Amino acid sequence: MTAVFVALIIILAVAAALAGASIRILREYERAVVFRLGHLLGQKGPGVVLLIPGIDRMVRVDLRTVTFDVPPQDLITRDNVPAKVNAVTYFRVVDPVKSVVEVERYRAATSQIAQTTLRSVLGKADLDMLLSERERLNEALQKIIDEQTDPWGIKVTTVEIKDVGIPQGMQRAMARQAEAERERRAKVINAEGEFQASERLYDAAQIMSANPTALQLRYLQTLLELGSSQASTIVFPLPIDLLKPLLQATQYDGTENRPPPVPPPDTAERTLEAAEEAREIAGGASGHESRAELDAEVDADIAKQVELVKDEVERVQEDLARRKP
């Protein structure tokens, strides 16, 4: 009786071991590639998969998207600039059978393909394209890697360039170039602003020239703006044209050392003639008259002529004062 019980226990243990070896449970994102005696049976799952112990072999394949970083790759761009570039790749298995049968380790193979493609594609681009046109380069990398991994049942969904490392000297040169470009743009914008401002000022001057009152109102508005500030000094511009009549009417204020008045041409000529006549009279006088008396007479004649010139000048100034509006 005891022997029978022990044998029954042994049989149950062997059955349980066989059942455990023949039953597999796969998750929703997993598939099983089954081989029987080395021959491919196909894929199974998800759920419960039954296998014949000792005859069937199963390989699990994960269908989720795999993310891996492409190690930094040293390359030389088309314009002979050394750079170090790394990237990230996203792929997933779309055909479990091909991923097992066509390639030994699809993850390692995809990684190697991504590294070599990254070096070859980016080596054909110049540095400016590498820095400014990453989207187009990403699309080219994704297309090339996907075409090479398609026979393995691998779908490459995305390839993104993460970082581009360039030498410090090149970074400084690029910084100087960018600074010069910004200065050029600033100068162009400033010149454009000056040009537009000059056009507006020209239009405003044309409008104000048609009506002098507008210019006076603008002038008063400017003074109002200056007066609103707390400045202690105000520049008061005054057109010279407004001062010309005043300067012509009153050239001297009486407190200055006024120069001798300029006689009119006719008066000056008469004065010179009178002086000449006085000299002739002095030269032709009789010997009874003394030299001092002759000089006194000449001086008196000259003084009389000077008074006449002064009277003429005062008359001209009075005429100018009456004509002034």
Side-chain angles (χ1 to χ4, degrees):
M1 185 66 182
T2 303
V4 174
F5 183 72
V6 172
L8 183 60
I9 293 175
I10 293 172
I11 292 171
L12 292 175
V14 171
L18 293 175
S22 62
I23 297 175
R24 297 287 188 274
I25 297 176
L26 301 179
R27 299 179 180 89
E28 184 65 30
Y29 55 83
E30 292 180 336
R31 297 294 183 271
V33 179
V34 180
F35 294 90
R36 177 169 295 170
L37 297 177
H39 294 282
L40 177 64
L41 293 181
Q43 70 176 17
K44 296 182 179 181
V48 178
V49 177
L50 299 177
L51 302 175
I52 300 175
I55 298 177
D56 293 342
R57 296 287 301 276
M58 184 189 74
V59 179
R60 291 176 181 266
V61 179
D62 195 336
L63 300 183
R64 292 178 296 182
T65 300
V66 179
T67 304
F68 72 92
D69 291 331
V70 180
Q73 303 296 311
D74 294 326
L75 54 91
I76 297 178
T77 60
R78 187 171 60 182
D79 50 354
N80 298 323
V81 177
K84 181 175 290 186
V85 183
N86 62 347
V88 60
T89 304
Y90 300 87
F91 69 91
R92 61 186 178 88
V93 178
V94 294
D95 192 340
V97 175
K98 288 184 178 181
S99 66
V100 174
V101 177
E102 299 295 337
V103 64
E104 181 180 1
R105 292 180 297 173
Y106 66 88
R107 294 195 180 190
T110 304
S111 176
Q112 294 298 321
I113 286 292
Q115 294 178 33
T116 56
T117 305
L118 183 68
R119 287 194 298 268
S120 62
V121 171
L122 299 185
K124 298 177 182 178
D126 54 15
L127 184 60
D128 293 337
M129 181 178 180
L130 186 60
L131 296 175
S132 61
E133 300 182 8
R134 289 194 180 185
E135 293 184 359
R136 192 171 72 177
L137 294 175
N138 292 335
E139 293 177 359
L141 288 171
Q142 185 270 333
K143 182 178 179 181
I144 294 174
I145 297 174
D146 184 55
E147 289 177 355
Q148 294 178 347
T149 58
D150 183 68
W152 304 338
I154 305 298
K155 174 62 178 178
V156 177
T157 57
T158 306
V159 178
E160 293 287 342
I161 299 174
K162 293 176 61 177
D163 185 31
V164 178
I166 58 178
Q168 293 294 329
M170 182 59 65
Q171 293 181 11
R172 289 192 294 269
M174 293 175 63
R176 290 194 298 269
Q177 180 182 1
E179 183 178 0
E181 180 65 21
R182 287 193 296 269
E183 290 180 357
R184 184 188 68 84
R185 293 179 181 177
K187 291 179 180 179
V188 170
I189 293 174
N190 189 18
E192 185 68 22
E194 293 292 338
F195 177 73
Q196 294 178 1
S198 64
E199 288 183 341
R200 300 286 79 79
L201 289 175
Y202 175 78
D203 296 339
Q206 291 294 327
I207 295 173
M208 289 184 179
S209 63
N211 190 357
T213 306
L215 181 61
Q216 184 67 20
L217 291 176
R218 180 58 184 167
Y219 172 67
L220 295 176
Q221 183 179 2
T222 304
L223 291 180
L224 181 61
E225 294 176 356
L226 292 174
S228 61
S229 63
Q230 300 299 324
S232 59
T233 303
I234 296 178
V235 178
F236 189 82
L238 189 63
I240 298 298
D241 295 339
L242 298 179
L243 297 178
K244 282 184 177 180
L246 183 61
L247 294 176
Q248 292 176 356
T250 57
Q251 295 182 357
Y252 300 96
D253 56 359
T255 61
E256 301 172 347
N257 295 324
R258 65 173 60 177
V262 179
D266 297 338
T267 306
E269 291 178 358
R270 291 197 299 270
T271 303
L272 293 176
E273 291 176 357
E276 291 294 337
E277 292 176 357
R279 289 191 181 93
E280 291 177 357
I281 293 172
S286 62
H288 299 287
E289 295 178 348
S290 65
R291 183 69 178 177
E293 291 177 354
L294 293 175
D295 292 339
E297 291 178 358
V298 171
D299 291 338
D301 292 337
I302 293 174
K304 186 182 296 184
Q305 296 297 328
V306 169
E307 291 295 333
L308 293 175
V309 171
K310 288 182 179 180
D311 294 338
E312 186 70 20
V313 171
E314 290 178 357
R315 185 182 63 79
V316 171
Q317 289 181 351
E318 290 177 357
D319 292 341
L320 292 175
R322 286 194 299 270
R323 294 176 184 177
K324 183 175 66 175

